[in-house]
Amino acid sequence: MVFLSLAIATLGSASAVIAASTQSPPVRLRDLVKRAGTVTGPVIPTDFPDPGLILPNGMPPWYVYSTSTSHGKVPFAISEDFTEWTPIQGDALPYPGIWVSSSNSAVWAPDVRQIGTNYYVMYYTAFSEADGNHCIGAATSLTPAGPFIPQAAPIVCDAAGGGVIDASGFEAPGGALYLVWKVDGNSKGQSTPIFIQHLAADGYTLTGSATQLITNDPVDGGIVEAPSLVYWEDYYYLFFSSNRYNTLYYDVSYAIAKSATGPYTKVQAPNAPLLVSGDCGTAGPGGATVINVLDRYVNAVFHSDINGKNASGGRDMWQISGLTLSNGVATVNCPKK
């Protein structure tokens, strides 16, 4: 079974990444340590938020998928070299499912995973008319371009918690499959925990019970979201965004653990956040997806505010090539101008 897993990497010591901070303003990282893994962008210079990334069968072309825009429910683009990207190629999920509200049918944060040689599962967020909140759906396809065919019902809902969003897949060493997601508590003035739960071999049937990995602390600006879980050299890295997505405080940070289900420790300055506004020319960087390609190297994609101020002008796609993880620390490098 092939299930391309998420991953990231950098230089440093795990002893420097202990304990959650209680300071109230967001932590700011400003080139405090030498970086590895090159950030470039925008590589898709149009509205392409919350990008999901996959390299089918470990061979080009790469595929990326975005939240709904004027280009479709789940627009996608491709690249042969992870340098140049095509214009948007089409809509991978033109019909998000019978359970999705007809009056509010946008799709958020799609994540595609490969299970088997010619079998793909897409996880996505949409508004459920029956539940009255955002739920997580799953759709399948025999090709990464789709069209993906949705399941008849969502696979995760949580009305009491405020809904659920930002689902992503993960394969642990040994082949166990998981789904990771955020409870959208900020929609009700509540906390925003991130959960994990086992998936069956089909890639979309949840089994067992959910486990909380992290939740928001004061330093997170009231929110943690957009989880992306990866394994690399004895560490599990849970990447996430914190603070509000439509502000320049939005960022990419991470927590680490020795087990897929935790306990996780949020990494602190100077080793985190991984990206904040101003780093490498970004503005409100977030919504990252990171993949480990056959244990050979790690690449990532994320979005940044086009207008340099907030999300109102759209968010274009940026990338990180050859990201490195080492001893529980992740770092990036800005290209020289």
Side-chain angles (χ1 to χ4, degrees):
M1 174 181 294
V2 176
F3 188 84
L4 294 181
S5 54
L6 317 172
I8 300 190
T10 97
L11 305 173
S13 168
S15 62
V17 299
I18 313 297
S21 171
T22 58
Q23 65 188 86
S24 54
V27 174
R28 288 287 169 253
L29 177 63
R30 288 291 183 267
D31 297 326
L32 298 178
V33 293
K34 185 177 181 181
R35 301 289 177 227
T38 301
V39 177
T40 55
V43 293
I44 297 182
T46 189
D47 194 20
F48 203 85
D50 308 311
L53 175 67
I54 189 172
L55 182 62
N57 299 307
M59 299 288 292
W62 299 80
Y63 282 73
V64 287
Y65 310 84
S66 105
T67 283
S68 293
T69 69
S70 60
H71 296 286
K73 297 296 185 188
V74 177
F76 73 93
I78 61 176
S79 174
E80 293 291 341
D81 57 7
F82 204 72
T83 300
E84 300 292 331
W85 291 88
T86 66
I88 291 170
Q89 299 294 289
D91 189 342
L93 186 70
Y95 175 61
I98 193 171
W99 61 272
V100 175
S101 169
S102 58
S103 61
N104 184 9
S105 61
V107 171
W108 284 269
D111 182 70
V112 174
R113 299 291 133 187
Q114 183 176 3
I115 303 176
T117 304
N118 294 303
Y119 178 58
Y120 301 83
V121 179
M122 177 188 291
Y123 312 109
Y124 60 96
T125 297
F127 190 82
S128 167
E129 196 72 66
D131 185 81
N133 294 276
H134 287 106
C135 292
I136 292 166
T140 60
S141 175
L142 299 180
T143 73
F148 283 78
I149 307 302
Q151 298 297 300
I155 61 173
V156 184
C157 292
D158 186 350
V164 288
I165 66 172
D166 294 348
S168 61
F170 174 67
E171 181 186 9
L177 305 183
Y178 292 90
L179 187 70
V180 185
W181 70 89
K182 170 211 173 183
V183 175
D184 202 27
N186 52 295
S187 67
K188 292 188 173 182
Q190 300 173 181
S191 61
T192 61
I194 289 174
F195 281 89
I196 190 171
Q197 190 168 344
H198 275 285
L199 289 167
D202 60 14
Y204 57 82
T205 300
L206 290 163
T207 64
S209 58
T211 300
Q212 181 176 311
L213 302 183
I214 61 171
T215 192
N216 56 291
D217 293 307
V219 71
D220 301 311
I223 299 171
V224 290
E225 62 186 15
S228 181
L229 181 60
V230 301
Y231 175 81
W232 190 265
E233 294 181 347
D234 299 326
Y235 282 91
Y236 293 82
Y237 296 78
L238 177 65
F239 287 82
F240 61 91
S241 289
S242 58
N243 302 287
R244 296 192 176 274
Y245 79 94
N246 57 350
T247 73
L248 291 180
Y249 291 118
Y250 208 49
D251 61 24
V252 178
S253 199
Y254 61 104
I256 58 171
K258 287 288 191 173
S259 165
T261 55
Y264 280 81
T265 299
K266 290 179 184 176
V267 180
Q268 302 299 310
N271 295 317
L274 178 70
L275 285 169
V276 300
S277 290
D279 289 342
C280 307
T282 62
T289 298
V290 187
I291 66 170
N292 166 5
V293 181
L294 305 176
D295 290 327
R296 295 174 185 169
Y297 59 95
V298 173
N299 284 352
V301 292
F302 63 95
H303 69 235
S304 176
D305 296 338
I306 293 174
N307 65 12
K309 300 183 294 184
N310 54 47
S312 66
R315 292 158 287 172
D316 46 21
M317 192 183 89
W318 292 54
Q319 65 186 36
I320 307 173
S321 302
L323 194 61
T324 309
L325 294 174
S326 181
N327 295 324
V329 179
T331 54
V332 293
N333 173 59
C334 301
K336 294 181 180 180
K337 295 183 179 181

